[in-house]
Every structure is written in C-alpha cells, then in structure tokens.
Amino acid sequence: MVAFGTSARSLCDNRSNPKDFVLIDARDYADFARFLSECCGLVLGENRQYLVSSRLSRLLDEFGFAKVEDLLRTLRQSSNPTLKSRVIDAMTTNETSWFRDTYPFEILRQVLLPELAARQRPVKIWSAACSSGQEPYSIAMVVAEWEAAFPPKTTPVGIIATDLSETVLSEARAGLYDGLSIARGLSGERRQKFFDSVANGHQIKPEIQRRVRFQKLNLLDSYALLGKFDIVFCRNVLIYFSAETKRRIFDGIARQMNPGGYLLVGASEAATSYTDAFEIVRTPHGTVLRRR
C-alpha cells in the first residue's frame, strides 16, 4: 500500500525464532530499505535489521538465497512478480477487523449515503488497502442495511476494494473467515444475518460478496483506470509512509474523486496537512473530509 490495500498495513515484529537467521549488515539493510520504499512506499526507519532478518529468514530458505544481498540482486535483475510480491507480504502484516472504529460506518449510514442518494445518481465507493476484506464487506453490509431501511431512496452503490498483496486479495475474494477473524468487531446479529456457518469457518453470503469487486493496486501507481469515486476509505494505511509519499497519494486520491465526495482516513492521519484538496466536515458521528 503501498498498496491497496492494506485496512491497516503495518510493519510488525519478528515471526521467526532468532536462531533461524543472522542479522544483515548495514549496507544490505540500507539497500533493502531503499528497495521497499521504491516499490511500495513503506519506510523502514533506522536500526530495524532484526525486523528485516526475522521477516525474510523463511523466504530466503524457501528460495535458496544465502543472504539478503542475494535476494536483492535477484529482485533488481529480474522481473519476477511472484518473488517481489512475496517479499512485500513478508514485510507487512494486515491488521484489520469488522467495522473498525465503528464511527466511519455510522457516518456512512447516517450522513453520506442519504446525502449522496439525494443526488439521484449511482454512488461509487473505494476501499483502499482492503487487506483480507473486512472493511469493504463491512461497507457492503451497511449499504445492504441502509437499502432495506429506505427502499424508496435506494440508489445503485458500487464498491471497489484494492490491495497490493495477492495473498490477502485471494482471502478477501474467498470470503471465508475462521472463528477468530469473525469475532473481531462483528456482532452476533450481523454474523447470523450475513454469514453461513460452514465446515471450515464462516462464509459471507453471496448477496454481500457480489457487491464488492476486488482488484490488485499499488498506491504508488496510477488510479486513473479505477474511475471516479464519491466515497473513499483510506484508513490507517499511510502512517508508515514518508511525508512526500503521503502528499502524492492524497493528491492522487483527490483526482479520482467527484467534487463533493468524501474521504475517510484514520484518526491519526491528517490529510489536510498534505493537500488542500479537502475540507474538514464535522458530523454528529465524527469528522470526514470533503473534496472541494
């Protein structure tokens, strides 16, 4: 998300036993940090050699690399998209839940959908860095509930969800969640209403699943082919990016939004510090940004 992707995509602590790897030297670390920033925008910061070594150790073994230097050389000399994707997956984790923070979905239901429906044209929503699908499916549930409550005002609502990682996109498209995943932020009522219990977990119902179209996208690339949006969720994504990259991404999102459209970001992500394309709008349920 760097991608689209990632509800929150963040650098995380080691997954491997410390005996499984050797710390990389300063030069290799700097080269890898530069590669990660160039390909997906993530900023490692200083003195994170332990993190890099622990996250890449299993990948090095799997692909037969003796050290990170060998991995970097292969990445730069070849156009192997699978290897590049696996490296990015190894260095990121997708922290997400259903209806995360609650208030953005109340704003969507109580404020944005009624206002945009009054314009009497289709509404298009983008979930950027969607991770394994909890955010866009939560949006789809809200839309379904809103349509059921106000059928005379129903307007077509399309949802596009993007992420950089093919791994999490595959999980999202499958719409199958285990007991631990399903319990995070999802009420028993919604679980019963929108999911079917199956042998290996909980399967989201087809009427919710088909509302969302998943697509691979790197937030550093062009968004032009996505079209124009009325609502964009880009939450808890950009806190790991440099100021310059944040500015570039916010400006890119703004170009893909219809005038008067709305952007929802994380509580600590001050979009107005990086672009003047939005104004702050306060609602009874929280603040949202409106495209000027």
Side-chain angles (χ1 to χ4, degrees), residues 33 60 87 105 122 124 136 160 182 195 222 255 260 271 282-283 289:
L60 294 177
V87 169
F105 302 94
K124 193 174 179 183
I160 294 177
I182 207 73
F195 290 82
S222 171
R255 286 193 294 271
R282 291 175 172 80
T283 79
L289 302 173

mmCIF file of all heavy atoms in Angstrom, residues 33 60 87 105 122 124 136 160 182 195 222 255 260 271 282-283 289:
data_model
loop_
_atom_site.group_PDB
_atom_site.id
_atom_site.type_symbol
_atom_site.label_atom_id
_atom_site.label_comp_id
_atom_site.label_asym_id
_atom_site.label_seq_id
_atom_site.Cartn_x
_atom_site.Cartn_y
_atom_site.Cartn_z
ATOM 1 N N ALA A 33 15.981 -1.350 2.511
ATOM 2 C CA ALA A 33 15.062 -0.273 2.885
ATOM 3 C C ALA A 33 14.744 0.596 1.672
ATOM 4 O O ALA A 33 13.597 1.020 1.477
ATOM 5 C CB ALA A 33 15.661 0.566 4.009
ATOM 6 N N LEU A 60 14.117 -16.526 2.499
ATOM 7 C CA LEU A 60 15.457 -16.819 1.999
ATOM 8 C C LEU A 60 15.661 -18.329 1.873
ATOM 9 O O LEU A 60 16.186 -18.822 0.875
ATOM 10 C CB LEU A 60 16.515 -16.223 2.928
ATOM 11 C CG LEU A 60 16.586 -14.692 3.020
ATOM 12 C CD1 LEU A 60 17.627 -14.275 4.045
ATOM 13 C CD2 LEU A 60 16.887 -14.062 1.675
ATOM 14 N N VAL A 87 8.053 -10.921 -1.037
ATOM 15 C CA VAL A 87 8.883 -10.085 -0.168
ATOM 16 C C VAL A 87 8.024 -9.031 0.524
ATOM 17 O O VAL A 87 8.135 -8.810 1.736
ATOM 18 C CB VAL A 87 10.018 -9.420 -0.969
ATOM 19 C CG1 VAL A 87 10.721 -8.348 -0.127
ATOM 20 C CG2 VAL A 87 11.021 -10.472 -1.423
ATOM 21 N N PHE A 105 -18.449 3.963 9.856
ATOM 22 C CA PHE A 105 -19.579 3.257 9.266
ATOM 23 C C PHE A 105 -20.911 3.899 9.675
ATOM 24 O O PHE A 105 -21.885 3.835 8.925
ATOM 25 C CB PHE A 105 -19.508 1.781 9.656
ATOM 26 C CG PHE A 105 -18.227 1.139 9.213
ATOM 27 C CD1 PHE A 105 -17.137 1.063 10.069
ATOM 28 C CD2 PHE A 105 -18.085 0.676 7.917
ATOM 29 C CE1 PHE A 105 -15.935 0.515 9.649
ATOM 30 C CE2 PHE A 105 -16.888 0.129 7.479
ATOM 31 C CZ PHE A 105 -15.807 0.054 8.350
ATOM 32 N N PRO A 122 -25.840 6.959 -9.382
ATOM 33 C CA PRO A 122 -25.125 5.866 -8.708
ATOM 34 C C PRO A 122 -24.003 6.376 -7.816
ATOM 35 O O PRO A 122 -23.359 7.389 -8.110
ATOM 36 C CB PRO A 122 -24.579 5.035 -9.868
ATOM 37 C CG PRO A 122 -25.505 5.321 -11.002
ATOM 38 C CD PRO A 122 -25.910 6.759 -10.843
ATOM 39 N N LYS A 124 -20.354 5.464 -5.978
ATOM 40 C CA LYS A 124 -19.216 4.570 -6.123
ATOM 41 C C LYS A 124 -18.275 4.743 -4.934
ATOM 42 O O LYS A 124 -17.872 5.863 -4.608
ATOM 43 C CB LYS A 124 -18.484 4.866 -7.445
ATOM 44 C CG LYS A 124 -17.474 3.798 -7.840
ATOM 45 C CD LYS A 124 -16.913 4.102 -9.230
ATOM 46 C CE LYS A 124 -15.868 3.062 -9.641
ATOM 47 N NZ LYS A 124 -15.272 3.389 -10.956
ATOM 48 N N PRO A 136 -14.211 -3.612 3.185
ATOM 49 C CA PRO A 136 -15.212 -3.497 2.116
ATOM 50 C C PRO A 136 -16.470 -4.318 2.377
ATOM 51 O O PRO A 136 -17.572 -3.886 2.012
ATOM 52 C CB PRO A 136 -14.469 -3.984 0.869
ATOM 53 C CG PRO A 136 -13.320 -4.775 1.382
ATOM 54 C CD PRO A 136 -12.932 -4.127 2.672
ATOM 55 N N ILE A 160 -15.510 -0.911 -4.862
ATOM 56 C CA ILE A 160 -14.250 -1.465 -5.350
ATOM 57 C C ILE A 160 -13.272 -1.510 -4.184
ATOM 58 O O ILE A 160 -13.163 -0.547 -3.417
ATOM 59 C CB ILE A 160 -13.668 -0.620 -6.489
ATOM 60 C CG1 ILE A 160 -14.575 -0.683 -7.719
ATOM 61 C CG2 ILE A 160 -12.263 -1.090 -6.849
ATOM 62 C CD1 ILE A 160 -14.104 0.186 -8.867
ATOM 63 N N ILE A 182 -13.735 -13.828 12.581
ATOM 64 C CA ILE A 182 -15.138 -13.429 12.547
ATOM 65 C C ILE A 182 -15.556 -12.730 13.827
ATOM 66 O O ILE A 182 -16.516 -11.956 13.858
ATOM 67 C CB ILE A 182 -16.039 -14.658 12.276
ATOM 68 C CG1 ILE A 182 -17.345 -14.229 11.589
ATOM 69 C CG2 ILE A 182 -16.344 -15.413 13.549
ATOM 70 C CD1 ILE A 182 -17.158 -13.828 10.159
ATOM 71 N N PHE A 195 -23.657 -14.182 7.230
ATOM 72 C CA PHE A 195 -22.728 -15.289 7.055
ATOM 73 C C PHE A 195 -23.441 -16.629 7.166
ATOM 74 O O PHE A 195 -24.449 -16.760 7.856
ATOM 75 C CB PHE A 195 -21.615 -15.238 8.111
ATOM 76 C CG PHE A 195 -20.642 -14.104 7.927
ATOM 77 C CD1 PHE A 195 -20.960 -12.831 8.397
ATOM 78 C CD2 PHE A 195 -19.435 -14.288 7.291
ATOM 79 C CE1 PHE A 195 -20.078 -11.773 8.236
ATOM 80 C CE2 PHE A 195 -18.541 -13.240 7.121
ATOM 81 C CZ PHE A 195 -18.863 -11.984 7.586
ATOM 82 N N SER A 222 -0.749 4.662 -10.765
ATOM 83 C CA SER A 222 -1.878 5.498 -11.174
ATOM 84 C C SER A 222 -3.205 4.847 -10.781
ATOM 85 O O SER A 222 -3.350 3.629 -10.827
ATOM 86 C CB SER A 222 -1.850 5.701 -12.689
ATOM 87 O OG SER A 222 -3.038 6.327 -13.134
ATOM 88 N N ARG A 255 -7.758 13.377 -7.103
ATOM 89 C CA ARG A 255 -8.023 13.432 -8.547
ATOM 90 C C ARG A 255 -9.068 12.405 -8.979
ATOM 91 O O ARG A 255 -9.727 12.584 -10.004
ATOM 92 C CB ARG A 255 -6.725 13.224 -9.330
ATOM 93 C CG ARG A 255 -5.789 14.416 -9.307
ATOM 94 C CD ARG A 255 -4.691 14.265 -10.344
ATOM 95 N NE ARG A 255 -3.800 13.155 -10.041
ATOM 96 C CZ ARG A 255 -2.708 13.265 -9.281
ATOM 97 N NH1 ARG A 255 -2.386 14.437 -8.741
ATOM 98 N NH2 ARG A 255 -1.941 12.215 -9.069
ATOM 99 N N GLY A 260 -17.296 17.232 -4.057
ATOM 100 C CA GLY A 260 -18.281 16.967 -3.016
ATOM 101 C C GLY A 260 -18.235 15.553 -2.491
ATOM 102 O O GLY A 260 -19.032 15.196 -1.614
ATOM 103 N N ALA A 271 -4.866 14.303 6.617
ATOM 104 C CA ALA A 271 -4.747 14.512 5.173
ATOM 105 C C ALA A 271 -4.588 15.982 4.823
ATOM 106 O O ALA A 271 -3.870 16.338 3.880
ATOM 107 C CB ALA A 271 -5.961 13.932 4.454
ATOM 108 N N ARG A 282 -17.552 18.227 10.033
ATOM 109 C CA ARG A 282 -17.881 17.595 11.309
ATOM 110 C C ARG A 282 -19.336 17.142 11.303
ATOM 111 O O ARG A 282 -20.224 17.910 10.937
ATOM 112 C CB ARG A 282 -17.609 18.560 12.463
ATOM 113 C CG ARG A 282 -16.124 18.831 12.659
ATOM 114 C CD ARG A 282 -15.829 19.868 13.720
ATOM 115 N NE ARG A 282 -14.392 19.951 13.997
ATOM 116 C CZ ARG A 282 -13.521 20.608 13.264
ATOM 117 N NH1 ARG A 282 -13.943 21.280 12.198
ATOM 118 N NH2 ARG A 282 -12.239 20.615 13.567
ATOM 119 N N THR A 283 -19.547 15.912 11.700
ATOM 120 C CA THR A 283 -20.894 15.347 11.781
ATOM 121 C C THR A 283 -21.148 14.907 13.218
ATOM 122 O O THR A 283 -20.205 14.826 14.025
ATOM 123 C CB THR A 283 -21.044 14.136 10.843
ATOM 124 O OG1 THR A 283 -20.447 12.976 11.468
ATOM 125 C CG2 THR A 283 -20.371 14.379 9.493
ATOM 126 N N LEU A 289 -13.625 14.090 5.552
ATOM 127 C CA LEU A 289 -13.067 15.070 4.629
ATOM 128 C C LEU A 289 -13.891 15.132 3.354
ATOM 129 O O LEU A 289 -14.269 14.097 2.812
ATOM 130 C CB LEU A 289 -11.619 14.707 4.282
ATOM 131 C CG LEU A 289 -10.662 14.601 5.471
ATOM 132 C CD1 LEU A 289 -9.309 14.086 5.024
ATOM 133 C CD2 LEU A 289 -10.510 15.956 6.155
#
